[in-house]
Amino acid sequence: MLQKILVKIRKIRNENSLSQEFMANELGISQSQYGKIENGKVTLSFERLQKIATVLKVDITNLTNE
């Protein structure tokens, strides 16, 4: 399920022409740390997922529903 969420995050980010750097800045983390999130290299907390959904301007259920 996590992999599907990460794919949705990347897809929505790309559809909105948002860079990883932009996302990282909005989340207050480094670009490399954000890249690790999208690649599943670090644990994605629920709080961080909520922040990502906010930056992407989508409801969190859009990311978590199949």
Side-chain angles (χ1 to χ4, degrees):
M1 180 168 144
L2 176 61
Q3 204 59 341
K4 288 182 181 184
I5 292 170
L6 298 176
V7 168
K8 285 182 184 182
I9 289 170
R10 183 177 297 126
K11 181 178 183 231
I12 294 167
R13 179 179 62 77
N14 287 329
E15 286 173 350
N16 290 292
S17 301
L18 303 174
S19 67
Q20 284 189 349
E21 184 176 359
F22 173 83
M23 294 295 294
N25 287 336
E26 292 294 307
L27 297 170
I29 60 176
S30 69
Q31 186 275 324
S32 66
Q33 186 69 13
Y34 181 78
K36 288 178 184 177
I37 291 171
E38 275 197 7
N39 290 314
K41 304 277 189 210
V42 296
T43 303
L44 180 61
S45 68
F46 182 74
E47 292 79 16
R48 180 67 45 87
L49 182 58
Q50 284 180 307
K51 288 181 182 180
I52 290 170
T54 299
V55 173
L56 294 174
K57 298 178 182 167
V58 297
D59 191 278
I60 195 167
T61 57
N62 290 347
L63 298 177
T64 57
N65 287 341
E66 301 259 349

